């Protein structure tokens, strides 16, 4: 390595060490904003941020047992994070651990009949036949583990990063509500909770752009 190149690397490292803070914006499993701070060395960074994933899709048509159904689906996840990232090597690879505090961690699915249905000799309108509503909620506090590439506080003024990991939650709590001719479906709530008790993970992936100062 020539002297000029070595000098440039040293100067760049000195400048980067002066930048101990960064503001980041991320997109992927939701959209987020965060503040990051370099700790004692450029191997450790702490990040505090907010992330939100909210969207809904209405009137999805599905056919089950010959009946046409309309399905409305809504997701609502909002959480505050505190994460510590560690760079074990002299590059952008990192290991990340932390905790997420969820103000909302909910999936809701509502199903109704699209058309009139006939039971025996009786015809029911779509309004009278009833609806099935499934509400899924995870715990409010969940540890996080992941890995990624890119520093929370970039060496240069602008930086990019990618993160992949999961929150380790408790088993989801599922409530089932049914009306009309399918009201008896409420009896399946315990079975539904048992079937989904292993769904303790909330996956996370994001691409992040940050500005250091």
């Amino acid at each position: 390595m020539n002297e000029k190149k070595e000098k440039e690397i040293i100067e760049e490292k000195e400048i980067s060490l002066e930048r101990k803070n960064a503001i980041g914006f991320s997109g992927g499993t939701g959209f987020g904003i965060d503040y990051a701070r370099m700790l004692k060395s450029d191997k450790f960074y702490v990040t505090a941020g907010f992330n939100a994933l909210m969207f809904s899709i209405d009137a999805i048509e599905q056919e089950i047992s010959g009946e046409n159904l309309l399905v409305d689906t809504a997701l609502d996840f909002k959480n505050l994070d505190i994460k510590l990232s560690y760079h074990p090597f002299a590059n952008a690879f990192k290991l990340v651990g932390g905790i997420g505090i969820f103000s909302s961690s909910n999936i809701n699915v509502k199903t109704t009949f699209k058309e009139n249905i006939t039971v025996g000799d009786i015809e029911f309108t779509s309004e009278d036949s009833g609806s099935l509503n499934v509400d899924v909620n995870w715990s409010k506090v969940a540890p996080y583990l992941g890995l990624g590439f890119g520093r929370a506080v970039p060496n240069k003024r602008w930086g990019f990063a990618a993160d992949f990991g999961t929150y380790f939650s408790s088993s989801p709590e599922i409530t089932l509500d049914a009306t009309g001719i399918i009201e008896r479906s409420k009896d399946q709530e315990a079975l539904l909770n048992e079937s989904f008790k292993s769904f303790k993970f909330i996956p996370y992936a994001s691409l992040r752009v940050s500005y250091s100062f």
Side-chain angles (χ1 to χ4, degrees):
M1 184 182 295
N2 59 52
E3 184 177 345
K4 182 178 179 181
K5 185 66 174 177
E6 185 175 354
K7 184 178 179 181
E8 288 176 353
I9 293 175
I10 293 173
E11 288 177 350
E12 183 176 320
K13 188 171 183 179
E14 289 175 347
I15 293 172
S16 67
L17 290 175
E18 293 176 1
R19 299 181 182 133
K20 296 182 180 292
N21 307 277
I23 297 293
F25 301 91
S26 58
T29 311
F31 295 92
I33 182 172
D34 64 68
Y35 164 75
R37 170 79 179 177
M38 180 192 295
L39 299 181
K40 292 184 178 180
S41 71
D42 61 351
K43 285 183 174 291
F44 292 93
Y45 301 83
V46 64
T47 304
F50 172 78
N51 190 72
L53 171 62
M54 296 177 292
F55 75 88
S56 62
I57 304 176
D58 296 333
I60 305 171
E61 294 191 22
Q62 295 288 331
E63 183 178 334
I64 299 178
S65 301
E67 299 293 346
N68 294 319
L69 304 176
L70 295 177
V71 182
D72 299 338
T73 304
L75 279 76
D76 185 4
F77 287 82
K78 303 185 193 75
N79 58 289
L80 294 171
D81 287 334
I82 298 177
K83 294 177 181 177
L84 179 68
S85 57
Y86 168 60
H87 293 259
F89 313 112
N91 56 30
F93 175 77
K94 62 184 176 183
L95 302 173
V96 184
I99 191 167
I101 302 172
F102 289 81
S103 60
S104 178
S105 53
N106 171 262
I107 297 176
N108 180 268
V109 179
K110 183 178 180 180
T111 302
T112 56
F113 290 96
K114 181 182 179 183
E115 301 161 345
N116 296 352
I117 62 172
T118 301
V119 179
D121 295 328
I122 304 174
E123 184 177 26
F124 294 88
T125 66
S126 57
E127 290 80 9
D128 294 334
S129 57
S131 64
L132 180 67
N133 190 78
V134 181
D135 205 55
V136 185
N137 290 278
W138 281 265
S139 60
K140 299 300 183 183
V141 179
Y144 174 86
L145 285 177
L147 52 82
F149 299 89
R151 298 183 184 278
V153 181
N155 291 334
K156 296 182 179 181
R157 185 66 67 185
W158 291 94
F160 296 91
D163 287 83
F164 309 92
T166 185
Y167 296 92
F168 295 86
S169 183
S170 61
S171 298
E173 180 182 350
I174 302 175
T175 56
L176 185 63
D177 188 31
T179 61
I181 63 174
I182 56 174
E183 188 172 3
R184 283 192 175 184
S185 299
K186 284 194 270 188
D187 298 339
Q188 302 300 311
E189 184 175 282
L191 179 60
L192 201 59
N193 275 277
E194 179 68 22
S195 300
F196 286 88
K197 69 178 183 179
S198 61
F199 284 66
K200 300 180 180 181
F201 307 101
I202 304 175
Y204 174 81
S206 74
L207 295 175
R208 176 178 180 265
V209 59
S210 58
Y211 175 81
S212 65
F213 55 95

